[in-house]
Amino acid sequence: GSVKYVIFFFFFFFSTVACPATLILDMICPSVCRCDEDFIYCNDRGLSSIPSLPPSASVLYLQNNQINNPGLPTSLERQLSIRVVYLYDNELDEFPMHLPPSVRELHLQDNNIRTIPRSTLARMPLLEKLHLDDNSISTVSIEDQAFADNPRLRLLFLSRNHLSSIPSGLPASLEELRLDDNRISTIPTHAFRGLASLRCLVLDGNLLANQRIADDTFSRLSNLTELSLVRNSLQTPPVNLPSAHLQRLSLQENALTHMPRGSLDGMRRLLRLDLSGNNLTTLPRGLFKDLDSLGQLLVRGNPWHCGCNLRWLYDWLHARGNSITVRGLTCHGPDRVRDMALIDLTSEMEECEVVRTAGTRDRVGGGGVDSSTTLTPPQGSLFTLHSKRPGLGLPDSGLDYTLSSSGVGKSLALNVKPLSHNSVRVTWSVAQPSSSFRLSWLRLGIGNAMGSITETLVRGDRREYLLTSLQPRSSYIICMVPLAASSESKGAISGDADSDEALVCAKAETSDLTPLEEEDEESQQMTVLPLAGIIGGATAIVSLALIFGIFCWYGHRTGHLCSRDHYTRSSSRKNKTYDDYIESGTKKDNTILEIRSPGLQMMPMAACQPMQPKPLREDYIIHTIFPSNGTGLYKGDSHVSNAGHGTNRGYREGGIPDIDYCYT
């Protein structure tokens, strides 16, 4: 018996010493959860509050429950071993309090959180990753300097909220910022001030347009490696993009119509460029001159015009060979190469070489005539249209013009500012006085259309000019060049080689019409109707009145207008023998003949007394019951109305029920 007792004692002692953690964890782990060492799994349990947790808990899985703010116990603050908390998809309507100060990663997405208070975030000074996607946070609900006490915050997700601008006071330690699917429409200069460590910025699905982004907004993000601006309203890439470290640039599903020359300069580390889903027809020569590291080029969903304007891109792709993957570079025009890949247009590109060689020979061969003015310009490029008249100065494809709201040249600085839907203010300053300036503006069309150019001469003492009568919601290229006295004395608007080098251009976009402006324009259009139209309308009315008077006089003379003749001969209503029913065209008895289909109503009436004695006769006046348009009250199923509201206006005005015109 003593031997058995000793064996039992040693067995109990060994199991207690060898497995103390397991016994303690089994005793403290909540019954509704599952515990695996320091990982506590309480997700998808239908919990409304957080149960008591073991002191060794490090990672809490509490997602997909019904936990609200009162369901967070105050004892949670003393759980100093907790590092990661998953509280997404619960019923939190405020930023959760009583979280331990040791938390480094917090997932609060898919709740109904409305505010971000600084005092609550200050309780977690070690916080590095904060997920607040799919909540109800607005810009004004983020307390000023809310993240000032979180110097280690590296990742902040605020996707799918109600933000109207970039939150202020973001910590300098931030490396990844996601603000996609909000309502951000404007980015001022100081929006990203102090975020030198930011590497990834996502602004997809907002309301961004070029004119609402400051020129040096992104240039402050010197270490940015990924920039995503998908699903916005950009017509060109934002200016001054950070180029030193950028590796991924996403611009798909915007309204891009042109990639300005130099917009991708310096991006020697760019690995992926996505331009899909835009309105690009061509790309300017030399756009990819610095993209030696580019491995993915995605351009599907653009109406590419594969003419000689893309010969340089054809050569560039062949030179890169298998080192780059291209998706979607399929020709939309001309028709002979439609749906063909640019890389396969070998014979078509060889023809472009002949044209280019011939043009070079003509330019070098003397005569002073540039053959490029007689060749068909490449379709789709905004800066390859040459003038048919030498006096017109257009932006040349061989030069690099600044296409922002300002342009700076060697001796001229140009600024443009839209004032309304149809006017643009142009101001400039010059380094040296000039006798006059040549100002030209070109409206950019849609697709391959280029619009028309307009020019004017401005006196040399002026520094401001107002362009009016412009088209709403249109893009204009505005160029200016100072003219020498010799150029002005020629009596035409022309320029020489020196003036072409001094040409400075800028871009402006007119706004949409407001409802009030639309009404004003309509009223103005009404006030400028041609006088001949008014006179013609008055003449037509007088003529109709005269014809109607002649018709009535003739009927009176011949006795066909019986009721009118009867009333004129009768001195009083009392002398009439007709009753009210006969006067209204209906008899009290059953002598009315009525046809149900497009029908008629016939009734006998006493003959009117003519001016000359005639034997009495019985006439019939025929009244149409329904409009004589070939249809009855009930229309067939095959009837189609072009007006959108039916063609049975006569039914409604005649007081007849209309079953074809029923709506709520």
Side-chain angles (χ1 to χ4, degrees):
S2 60
V3 175
K4 294 181 180 180
Y5 176 78
V6 172
I7 293 173
F8 175 78
F9 174 77
F10 276 103
F11 177 78
F12 178 78
F13 176 79
F14 175 78
S15 59
T16 305
V17 173
C19 308
T22 304
L23 292 176
I24 294 174
L25 190 61
D26 291 340
M27 293 172 56
I28 302 180
C29 182
S31 59
V32 295
C33 304
R34 181 176 65 86
C35 303
D36 184 4
E37 295 182 353
D38 56 345
F39 290 79
I40 313 300
Y41 297 93
C42 300
N43 54 294
D44 300 279
R45 300 300 202 277
L47 301 177
S48 59
S49 61
I50 300 177
S52 299
L53 302 172
S56 62
S58 175
V59 181
L60 303 182
Y61 292 92
L62 297 166
Q63 69 270 20
N64 299 323
N65 282 294
Q66 301 174 9
I67 300 173
N68 51 22
N69 291 89
L72 277 70
T74 56
S75 60
L76 199 61
E77 297 179 356
R78 298 187 291 271
Q79 301 284 119
L80 300 182
S81 61
I82 296 178
R83 295 179 293 104
V84 182
V85 179
Y86 291 90
L87 269 170
Y88 63 84
D89 196 10
N90 276 281
E91 297 182 0
L92 301 173
D93 52 9
E94 294 179 0
F95 201 96
M97 299 179 62
H98 310 306
L99 292 176
S102 58
V103 171
R104 289 174 170 81
E105 184 175 345
L106 180 58
H107 293 259
L108 296 173
Q109 56 266 39
D110 202 7
N111 278 280
N112 195 28
I113 298 173
R114 296 183 176 87
T115 60
I116 302 181
R118 178 178 178 177
S119 58
T120 305
L121 282 174
R123 299 171 181 265
M124 296 175 285
L126 303 179
L127 189 63
E128 298 178 359
K129 299 180 181 181
L130 178 58
H131 297 259
L132 285 167
D133 314 62
D134 297 284
N135 278 281
S136 301
I137 300 170
S138 61
T139 303
V140 296
S141 67
I142 301 177
E143 188 176 337
D144 188 31
Q145 301 297 320
F147 305 96
D149 301 315
N150 303 99
R152 298 189 179 186
L153 190 63
R154 296 184 294 107
L155 183 147
L156 177 60
F157 284 9
L158 285 168
S159 307
R160 294 176 295 280
N161 277 280
H162 306 317
L163 300 176
S164 58
S165 61
I166 307 295
S168 60
L170 296 174
S173 58
L174 209 59
E175 297 179 2
E176 184 172 358
L177 177 61
R178 292 183 177 267
L179 301 170
D180 46 306
D181 294 301
N182 278 278
R183 304 170 185 172
I184 300 173
S185 60
T186 304
I187 303 182
T189 303
H190 56 79
F192 302 115
R193 180 177 299 168
L195 300 183
S197 301
L198 193 65
R199 298 182 180 275
C200 178
L201 176 60
V202 180
L203 290 166
D204 300 350
N206 280 283
L207 306 174
L208 297 176
N210 293 88
Q211 60 269 26
R212 294 193 289 268
I213 300 177
D215 289 348
D216 56 346
T217 294
F218 298 103
S219 60
R220 302 173 181 271
L221 306 175
S222 56
N223 291 314
L224 199 67
T225 60
E226 180 177 352
L227 176 61
S228 185
L229 293 165
V230 182
R231 289 182 287 110
N232 280 281
S233 301
L234 302 174
Q235 294 184 346
T236 60
V239 297
N240 300 327
L241 290 177
S243 57
H245 300 91
L246 199 62
Q247 298 179 6
R248 299 168 66 91
L249 179 59
S250 301
L251 296 170
Q252 62 265 35
E253 298 182 38
N254 276 273
L256 299 182
T257 57
H258 177 61
M259 294 289 292
R261 188 188 311 277
S263 58
L264 303 179
D265 285 359
M267 298 185 184
R268 304 185 185 279
R269 299 186 182 183
L270 192 66
L271 302 176
R272 186 178 187 273
L273 175 62
D274 197 338
L275 299 174
S276 305
N278 285 286
N279 297 320
L280 297 172
T281 59
T282 188
L283 296 174
R285 179 183 298 274
L287 180 67
F288 296 161
K289 65 179 182 179
D290 293 336
L291 305 188
D292 297 333
S293 302
L294 190 65
Q296 280 186 300
L297 178 61
L298 310 177
V299 293
R300 61 170 53 92
N302 286 281
W304 297 110
H305 185 92
C306 299
C308 298
N309 53 314
L310 290 182
R311 172 60 194 263
W312 73 269
L313 183 56
Y314 171 86
D315 294 336
W316 186 82
L317 292 175
H318 273 278
R320 293 295 306 274
N322 296 328
S323 63
I324 186 172
T325 301
V326 182
R327 295 286 184 271
L329 194 51
T330 304
C331 302
H332 187 266
D335 292 337
R336 61 192 179 98
V337 296
R338 184 183 294 272
D339 299 329
M340 295 179 61
L342 176 68
I343 198 70
D344 298 332
L345 303 182
T346 304
S347 59
E348 287 78 7
M349 294 297 111
E350 290 176 353
E351 295 176 2
C352 294
E353 185 67 27
V354 175
V355 174
R356 185 170 59 181
T357 303
T360 304
R361 183 173 61 253
D362 291 340
R363 287 193 297 269
V364 176
V369 178
D370 188 352
S371 63
S372 62
T373 60
T374 60
L375 297 176
T376 302
Q379 298 296 320
S381 176
L382 298 182
F383 301 103
T384 53
L385 181 65
H386 296 277
S387 173
K388 295 182 179 179
R389 183 167 64 90
L392 292 177
L394 285 172
D396 185 28
S397 61
L399 300 178
D400 186 10
Y401 296 112
T402 302
L403 290 179
S404 61
S405 60
S406 60
V408 180
K410 295 180 180 179
S411 60
L412 177 66
L414 180 68
N415 290 279
V416 297
K417 181 180 180 181
L419 298 181
S420 65
H421 67 279
N422 61 354
S423 62
V424 173
R425 179 188 179 190
V426 183
T427 57
W428 62 91
S429 59
V430 291
Q432 298 178 354
S434 178
S435 59
S436 61
F437 301 93
R438 185 182 68 196
L439 178 64
S440 58
W441 57 97
L442 170 68
R443 177 176 176 265
L444 303 181
I446 301 175
N448 299 335
M450 287 298 301
S452 59
I453 188 171
T454 308
E455 286 191 338
T456 185
L457 283 178
V458 185
R459 297 196 312 270
D461 58 343
R462 295 189 60 178
R463 295 295 181 268
E464 181 178 352
Y465 195 90
L466 183 63
L467 303 181
T468 59
S469 301
L470 304 180
Q471 294 293 326
R473 198 178 182 182
S474 300
S475 299
Y476 285 85
I477 300 295
I478 303 171
C479 300
M480 174 171 279
V481 60
L483 297 179
S486 59
S487 298
E488 188 179 8
S489 62
K490 295 178 182 179
I493 303 176
S494 63
D496 52 5
D498 295 334
S499 64
D500 289 339
E501 291 179 359
L503 183 66
V504 177
C505 296
K507 185 176 181 179
E509 296 182 357
T510 55
S511 60
D512 291 335
L513 278 173
T514 62
L516 182 59
E517 290 172 339
E518 290 179 356
E519 293 178 2
D520 292 342
E521 266 200 9
E522 290 177 1
S523 62
Q524 291 176 4
Q525 292 177 1
M526 292 298 295
T527 58
V528 295
L529 286 175
L531 183 60
I534 299 177
I535 297 175
T539 304
I541 294 175
V542 172
S543 301
L544 290 176
L546 182 60
I547 294 173
F548 182 76
I550 294 174
F551 176 78
C552 293
W553 175 80
Y554 179 78
H556 174 78
R557 294 281 301 200
T558 57
H560 288 305
L561 299 180
C562 306
S563 58
R564 182 184 179 97
D565 186 57
H566 175 75
Y567 287 139
T568 55
R569 293 195 310 268
S570 301
S571 59
S572 173
R573 184 179 178 90
K574 297 178 181 179
N575 298 328
K576 293 192 301 179
T577 58
Y578 302 147
D579 57 19
D580 292 336
Y581 288 93
I582 294 180
E583 290 184 11
S584 63
T586 308
K587 293 191 67 174
K588 288 186 289 186
D589 57 14
N590 296 326
T591 60
I592 298 174
L593 173 62
E594 183 174 340
I595 304 176
R596 292 285 181 180
S597 209
L600 306 172
Q601 175 178 292
M602 303 177 63
M603 64 181 187
M605 296 184 63
C608 301
Q609 298 293 334
M611 296 182 65
Q612 299 296 331
K614 293 183 180 179
L616 292 178
R617 67 180 186 272
E618 189 177 57
D619 291 339
Y620 287 88
I621 294 179
I622 302 176
H623 298 275
T624 57
I625 298 178
F626 307 115
S628 56
N629 57 358
T631 58
L633 180 59
Y634 303 97
K635 298 183 179 182
D637 297 335
S638 61
H639 177 72
V640 179
S641 172
N642 296 327
H645 299 289
T647 56
N648 37 24
R649 177 184 297 273
Y651 299 163
R652 300 195 300 275
E653 294 178 351
I656 301 175
D658 182 8
I659 62 171
D660 286 345
Y661 191 82
C662 298
Y663 64 96
T664 57

